[in-house]
Amino acid sequence: MGLPWDFHAIGGDGVSIDLLCDDDFEALYELQSDPDVCRYMLYEPRSRERVAEVLARDAAATRLEKVGDYVQPAIRDASGALVGTLYFHLTSVDDRTAEIGWALLAREQGKGYARTAAALLLDAAFGEIGLHRVYAELDPRNEASVALCLRLGMRHEAHFVEHMWSKGEWTDTGQYAVLEREWRR
Ligand SMILES: CC(C)(COP(=O)(O)OP(=O)(O)OC[C@H]1O[C@@H](n2cnc3c(N)ncnc32)[C@H](O)[C@@H]1OP(=O)(O)O)[C@@H](O)C(=O)NCCC(=O)NCCS
């Protein structure tokens, strides 16, 4: 138990998380080129070439050991099809802290996939990975993401005003977090 942690597939009730693979390309392109999905993401809609680069890069990111390491697993439905992705980024080893993020295909939103997948990852985070705190950062205008944080039992901890220049405007950032002991409750 603990760090370093090598990613492995985690299965749940009709939802699993697993590493990205080449077969995910078309669904990942649908996700990352969709202007609505990207509205509150840090990146602009991506080209096919850029998605191919990102897929190769993220499929190879499998170990959490040092600050900056991340995994970006696929969220899969019962058939194994990609419905979205999670992002899990080790931001402190000393403080055993990570950042979590999520994105679902527009046609797969509103079905509980993000919540179920994030809960699987948080179980691992506070179980086998041995973390103390996991947080999410978001644009407070992103109501679906705020609602997901609250459904996961994350606490609203901060609101940074005009914290970041993003997509041509000063943008606020909200931070939500949950501790290991809170998740266990
Ligand atoms: C943020 C995002 C992942 C949330 O997705 P989501 O589908 O709303 O979240 P969940 O998977 O938790 O699903 C919850 C919704 O499914 C519904 N639902 C249906 N069946 C469900 C089930 N079996 N279990 C749980 N929820 C279910 C819930 O009622 C809820 O809908 P509601 O908000 O209308 O009440 C999604 O809006 C998204 O991908 N946005 C674009 C990318 C983005 O902005 N990412 C975040 C950047 S910070």
Side-chain angles (χ1 to χ4, degrees):
M1 182 167 122
L3 296 169
W5 182 72
D6 290 307
F7 184 87
H8 59 85
I10 304 172
D13 199 9
V15 181
S16 61
I17 57 175
D18 197 0
L19 289 176
L20 289 165
C21 65
D22 289 346
D23 288 348
D24 293 323
F25 176 77
E26 291 299 337
L28 193 67
Y29 175 63
E30 178 182 342
L31 179 79
Q32 297 190 345
S33 64
D34 183 333
D36 291 332
V37 170
C38 295
R39 171 70 185 89
Y40 295 115
M41 306 290 275
L42 292 178
Y43 57 83
E44 297 287 358
R46 287 174 169 158
S47 66
R48 293 181 74 85
E49 293 69 27
R50 182 65 187 137
V51 172
E53 287 170 7
V54 165
L55 174 55
R57 181 194 69 192
D58 292 347
T62 62
R63 172 170 269 218
L64 300 181
E65 182 170 21
K66 58 188 186 307
V67 171
D69 287 349
Y70 71 95
V71 292
Q72 177 124 344
I75 304 171
R76 302 192 185 282
D77 66 11
S79 76
L82 182 147
V83 297
T85 54
L86 288 176
Y87 173 67
F88 196 70
H89 166 215
L90 190 61
T91 57
S92 174
V93 172
D94 291 344
D95 301 326
R96 289 184 285 128
T97 298
E99 177 188 5
I100 191 169
W102 33 65
L104 292 177
L105 291 167
R107 58 184 161 84
E108 302 292 359
Q109 294 175 14
K111 301 179 184 176
Y113 283 127
R115 180 188 178 187
T116 306
L120 291 172
L121 190 52
L122 288 169
D123 280 340
F126 294 127
E128 60 188 271
I129 310 178
L131 297 186
H132 174 64
R133 179 175 179 267
V134 175
Y135 67 93
E137 288 192 337
L138 47 75
D139 186 320
R141 294 173 297 183
N142 190 347
E143 292 175 9
S145 197
V146 168
L148 174 54
C149 288
L150 297 176
R151 275 197 295 278
L152 288 165
M154 301 176 92
R155 178 182 38 257
H156 184 205
E157 294 200 330
H159 183 122
F160 301 106
V161 177
E162 296 191 12
H163 171 248
M164 190 171 57
W165 180 258
S166 177
K167 301 185 176 178
E169 58 179 347
W170 286 112
T171 303
D172 294 3
T173 296
Q175 195 174 102
Y176 290 75
V178 61
L179 301 175
E180 184 265 349
R181 64 175 177 274
E182 296 167 333
W183 182 252
R184 289 192 187 283
R185 278 205 296 270

